[in-house]
Each structure stands twice: as structure tokens, then as C-alpha cells.
Amino acid sequence: MVDQAEKPTTEIHDIHTNNPSEWSLESVLPRTGKPWYKSRHLLLLNLGMIVPYLSSTTNGYDGSMLNGLQSMSQWQDFFGHPTGTRLGSLSNGVIFGQIAAFPIAPWLCDHTGRRFPIFLGSALLVIGAILQCAAQNYAMFLVSRMVIGFGGLIAVEASPMLVSELAYPTHRSVLVGYYNNLWYLGALLAAWITYGTYFMGPNLSWAWRIPSLLQGFFPLLQVIFVYMLPESPRYLVQKDRYDEARKVLIKYHAGGDEDSPLVDFEMKEIILSIQTAKAASQTGYREFLSTRGNLHRLFIIIAVPCMMQLSGNGLIAYYLHLILNSIGFSSDPQQLRINGGLTVFNLGVSIILASFMEIVGRRRLFLFSTVGMLACYMIWTILSAINEQRHFEDTSLGTGVIVMIFMYQLFYNAGLNGPPWVYVTEVLPTHLRAKGTNIMQIAATCAILFNGYANPVAMDAISWKYYIVYCCVIAVEIALVYFGFPETKGRSLEEVALIFDGDKAFGDVHEKQNPDEV
């Protein structure tokens, strides 16, 4: 129950019932008889999602760029051919910056909205890219990467939240799924930019400085255009700015129809969900330990990022050159071409697979992904072992490993690229979304730190035998998904709460006779 002063000033019409668990999104969707891209308001809204998508693109650019730089003799010579923990520190420089941003990012999202953190983080990314380009030694390059990590985390935490909370209800899963897929657009551009600049000359440092500077291009676009997007209506309701939230929904979801049943439905669900959460809210992060439903959420938001980072993909994302060296593909142009081809493949496959999320469901994609990755890693491991025994003389075995890398990426993209952000934003209620996303980032960072230091050392020490570790890890992931991941497809953000909290998801609203009292 809330005070009279907290009630929305706009009228919210009765929809079907006073029981929120019985409301139906399907029943209030407008029947226009035309595709969404012929509705101007939906076209503009969906095109506007490109701005927060660029946070993922920048993130992908970073990983692929560092892969490309490691295959460039110009970069290796300039920084003294770093290996082991010294190389790991450069990869983890971004992570060090992210760790510093952890306390700040959720506070910014909760107190300033979703747009300002994207603006601030992107501005810092531009500064970091300039410093990276101007680096004169190892230390300066490392500091620039820390600045990039600090700004990048702030922007990345807010971006998928803005997409999820602003998207049209029936478009949400696909739009959020595309968010992480745009990682590969950045990776593709970085891979081919480094391939092109490699041929500038063997002693020219601009061969690696140009790709480093271009890392600031997409963040610069975000700085310029982010305030052309509306603020999240769920954030506005959380701050009791009901009229502003309703205006956003009317303009972008109803095409200006102030009497839209869809807007009434969305406003009522958002208000009920947030006000119930405020009434039941505990202190900070401890709320994740307060109920069985929240403990289940905590398990998911820790398990998902660990799966995203500890399924063997870290080897491909940051240390592809070590894998290729281990199977006899050691020339710089050859490695750069494989890196570039892999990013083209990943971008196309990930976009296609994202379209199946609402058809197949999240849980089935997770299972399909993990089982497929395990099969690929097992074959990959066997081929690598035989290749080493034959002293890399049988090129078909090395080619087979590369084929398995491509197949592995197909399965990885099916379940651990697009679906994770959709799934996490769905299972978290609005008042816990920023904190939950922060926990997810912390878990991912811990996993990435492991990748950054353990992967290069292990690959140098035991080569293909290290793949056996990932075979075991993926097998455990299959069990976690099967027993711990419920299906969430076909539900609004507020309806997903019923899976975890039952009727308690909407508090004592069932006892009310008039839903407008909430």
C-alpha cells in the first residue's frame, strides 16, 4: 500500500481483473494488421536501440583488437613480446578498471537513470582510447586499458537494462538478445582493421595505434546520441514520476494513443511490481538472501556469467594466437585471417540464432548450447592431441581443430551469447535489476580474471591438455541448466516474478477490491 501522494496522477483503467496474475498481455496488444516496421513509433524505438547496443560492440572490439595486436609483430616488438602473467595483465587491465567501477555503476543506474551512465561511461571510453593510442610504454598501455574498463563497465551495466525496460513487450527478448550479438560486430571490425593495418610496415607503430584509437569511435556516437532516447519508464515509476513514464509508453508503445489498453496494462504491472518491492525491500544486496525466490535468482545471475566466461570461449576471445600456434598455424597473416573469418561467422550466426529465442525458449537454448559445446571440445581435444603426436605434420588435423572452433562458436552463440542478458533481465525485478546486474558483472569479472592469468600460463605449460579442464566444466554446466534454469519465454518482466515468488510477487494486491488503489 502506498500513500495518496505516491499514486499516479494519470488514470489507470481496469483491464480484466483485480488479480494481476490473471492479466494477459496478449489480450491488450493492438491488432493493427501490419508489421512493426510499418508503425513509425516502433520503427523509431527499435532503431534507437542501436545506441545502447554500441556498448556491446565496443566490448567486442576490445577483445578482438587485443587478439589482433598479439598477432602483429609491430605490437609485439614495441612492448617486448609479453608472455605469461605480463600478457595476462594487459588482457586484465580492462578488468582492473571494471573492479574499480563496481561500487559506482549500480548507484548511478539507480539514482541517475539508465541514460546518464551510458553517457558517462562512453565519455571515459573515448578518453581511454586516446590514451591507448598514445601509449609510449607497457605501463601507459596498461593504464589506458584500466580507464577503458572503468568506463566500459558503467556503460555496459546500464545499456541492456535500458533496452529491456524500454522495448516493446513482444520485441523485448529478441532486442535484448541482439544486444550481446552486437559484440561480434565490434570483434569483426577490430579483426579486419588490425589485419589491414598490419601491412602498413614492419616497424610502424601506427599499425597498432590506429586500431587502438578507433576503439573510441562507437563510444563517441553514444555520447552524441544517447539523450535522443527516452528514459526507462520503469526507472521513472521507481522515482514516482508516473506521468513521465506514461508519456514514454504512450509515445513509443502506443503511437500516441492515450487510451491504449496496452499502456494501462504496462503501467499497472510496473506500479504493482515496484510498489510491492518497495514495501518488502530489505537492506541493499541482503535482499537476495531474504526469500527462496531471490536465492534462486542469485544462483542464476552468478551461474550465467560464469558459464559465459568459463566454457572455453576465453581461449578463443583473447588467446586465439596461442591455440593456432599449438596446432601449427603460426604466421601472422594466417592468424589474422582466421581471426577475421571467425568474427564474420560469429556475427551472422548469432543474429540468426537470436531470432529463435521466443520460439524455442531460453532453457532449451541453454541445453542445446552446452551439450553442443561439450561435443565440440571433446573432438577438439582429441584432434589437438593427435596433431601434437604427429609433430604438426598432418595439416588436416589442424584444419579439423579450426572447424571445431567454428562449430563450438555456433553452439556457444546459440545459448551463451544472446540468451544470457535476456534471461538475467527477465528473472530480476526492477528494484533489484541494477544490483543483480552488478553481481552478474562481478561474477563475470572473477571468471575473466581467471581466464586472463590461467589461460596463457596453462597453454604455455600443458598446451592441448588444458582443454580437458573445460570439458569437465561444460559437463557441470549441463547439469546446472537442467536442474536450475526455469523457462521464462512468453511472459512480461513483471509476470516472470510469478515463477520465482508465486502470488507474493504482487504482495497483498489480491486482497484489494480496486486495483487503482495500488
Side-chain angles (χ1 to χ4, degrees):
M1 183 76 88
V2 296
D3 295 336
Q4 183 69 26
E6 292 180 320
K7 291 182 182 178
T9 59
T10 54
E11 180 185 1
I12 298 177
H13 308 293
D14 291 335
I15 296 177
H16 294 289
T17 173
N18 293 347
N19 186 342
S21 64
E22 297 176 6
W23 296 347
S24 168
L25 174 63
E26 183 67 24
S27 65
V28 296
L29 290 173
R31 303 287 188 263
T32 61
K34 59 182 180 180
W36 65 267
Y37 50 84
K38 292 187 177 180
S39 297
R40 186 174 181 273
H41 60 288
L42 294 180
L43 179 62
L44 290 176
L45 176 62
N46 291 346
L47 288 176
M49 297 300 180
I50 293 173
V51 176
Y53 281 170
L54 294 179
S55 295
S56 182
T57 304
T58 301
N59 202 16
Y61 186 99
D62 180 78
S64 183
M65 182 196 72
L66 194 61
N67 244 341
L69 295 186
Q70 290 176 68
S71 296
M72 296 174 67
S73 57
Q74 300 96 324
W75 184 87
Q76 292 282 1
D77 293 341
F78 193 91
F79 291 104
H81 297 267
T83 59
T85 56
R86 189 172 174 86
L87 176 59
S89 293
L90 285 183
S91 298
N92 284 334
V94 168
I95 307 303
F96 300 147
Q98 290 178 350
I99 292 172
F102 279 141
I104 300 171
W107 185 92
L108 285 171
C109 290
D110 283 339
H111 291 82
T112 66
R114 314 312 191 208
R115 294 180 301 177
F116 178 73
I118 297 175
F119 174 85
L120 176 63
S122 299
L124 290 171
L125 277 163
V126 172
I127 295 172
I130 294 172
L131 291 174
Q132 186 173 242
C133 170
Q136 298 301 307
N137 49 49
Y138 176 91
M140 187 173 177
F141 194 83
L142 179 59
V143 169
S144 70
R145 294 190 59 73
M146 293 174 67
V147 175
I148 288 171
F150 186 86
L153 181 96
I154 294 173
V156 162
E157 273 210 18
S159 295
M161 283 194 287
L162 182 60
V163 174
S164 178
E165 295 173 358
L166 196 57
Y168 191 72
T170 56
H171 297 173
R172 189 189 69 250
S173 62
V174 173
L175 287 175
V176 179
Y178 282 156
Y179 170 80
N180 215 40
N181 293 338
L182 268 291
W183 192 96
Y184 288 121
L185 175 60
L188 183 153
L189 293 171
W192 289 107
I193 288 171
T194 53
Y195 178 74
T197 58
Y198 169 80
F199 295 101
M200 292 179 68
N203 300 313
L204 192 63
S205 66
W206 280 105
W208 62 265
R209 293 186 190 277
I210 289 175
S212 298
L213 180 62
L214 289 176
Q215 188 168 355
F217 175 71
F218 292 120
L220 181 61
L221 294 180
Q222 290 180 289
V223 169
I224 295 172
F225 294 111
V226 69
Y227 278 98
M228 295 181 68
L229 282 174
E231 185 55 88
S232 159
R234 287 171 176 82
Y235 167 77
L236 294 172
V237 169
Q238 193 170 15
K239 295 301 179 182
D240 300 327
R241 294 157 61 181
Y242 298 99
D243 286 336
E244 294 177 57
R246 186 175 177 83
K247 287 177 181 178
V248 169
L249 294 174
I250 288 173
K251 181 176 180 180
Y252 291 97
H253 287 193
D257 181 6
E258 297 187 3
D259 297 319
S260 169
L262 173 62
V263 172
D264 291 338
F265 174 85
E266 291 186 283
M267 282 296 295
K268 187 167 290 189
E269 275 206 324
I270 294 170
I271 293 168
L272 285 171
S273 176
I274 292 176
Q275 295 297 352
T276 300
K278 284 182 178 180
S281 181
Q282 305 296 317
T283 303
Y285 288 91
R286 285 189 297 173
E287 188 167 350
F288 280 101
L289 307 176
S290 64
T291 67
R292 184 175 180 179
N294 282 347
L295 283 170
H296 193 175
R297 291 183 174 102
L298 182 63
F299 159 74
I300 288 173
I301 62 176
I302 292 176
V304 166
C306 288
M307 290 169 59
M308 292 172 70
Q309 303 299 335
L310 296 179
S311 297
N313 56 299
L315 281 173
I316 301 172
Y318 288 93
Y319 301 107
L320 181 62
H321 77 293
L322 296 180
I323 297 174
L324 297 177
N325 286 340
S326 73
I327 58 175
F329 289 75
S330 55
S331 77
D332 291 356
Q334 193 176 43
Q335 290 191 359
L336 288 167
R337 285 194 298 270
I338 293 172
N339 185 35
L342 190 61
T343 57
V344 173
F345 174 80
N346 282 332
L347 178 61
V349 165
S350 62
I351 290 176
I352 293 171
L353 290 172
S355 304
F356 287 92
M357 264 187 293
E358 203 58 43
I359 300 172
V360 179
R362 291 38 151 175
R363 185 173 182 272
R364 288 180 181 175
L365 282 176
F366 280 129
L367 286 172
F368 173 76
S369 174
T370 48
V371 171
M373 287 191 299
L374 179 58
C376 290
Y377 241 102
M378 291 173 67
I379 298 172
W380 176 353
T381 303
I382 293 169
L383 291 176
S384 297
I386 298 173
N387 198 24
E388 183 180 73
Q389 291 174 356
R390 296 183 182 178
H391 307 289
F392 310 112
E393 294 176 355
D394 190 343
T395 56
S396 64
L397 291 172
T399 302
V401 170
I402 294 175
V403 171
M404 282 302 103
I405 291 174
F406 276 78
M407 290 300 298
Y408 166 87
Q409 287 296 119
L410 185 150
F411 287 109
Y412 178 88
N413 288 325
L416 294 182
N417 188 46
W421 278 111
V422 178
Y423 200 60
V424 168
T425 54
E426 284 177 341
V427 303
L428 290 169
T430 301
H431 72 293
L432 291 178
R433 198 162 290 135
K435 292 182 177 67
T437 303
N438 202 44
I439 292 174
M440 181 183 180
Q441 292 288 357
I442 292 172
T445 296
C446 293
I448 293 171
L449 280 171
F450 170 83
N451 282 337
Y453 284 113
N455 285 345
V457 174
M459 284 295 293
D460 285 340
I462 60 177
S463 188
W464 65 266
K465 299 178 184 69
Y466 186 47
Y467 303 150
I468 298 172
V469 173
Y470 286 115
C471 291
C472 297
V473 170
I474 297 171
V476 172
E477 291 174 358
I478 294 172
L480 293 179
V481 172
Y482 186 82
F483 292 106
F485 283 33
E487 184 57 73
T488 59
K489 77 165 187 173
R491 296 171 180 260
S492 69
L493 289 177
E494 284 66 37
E495 288 171 331
V496 171
L498 294 169
I499 297 175
F500 294 89
D501 305 317
D503 289 341
K504 294 180 181 179
F506 294 100
D508 62 351
V509 71
H510 295 169
E511 301 174 4
K512 298 181 182 301
Q513 298 301 314
N514 184 355
D516 290 340
E517 291 177 10
V518 180

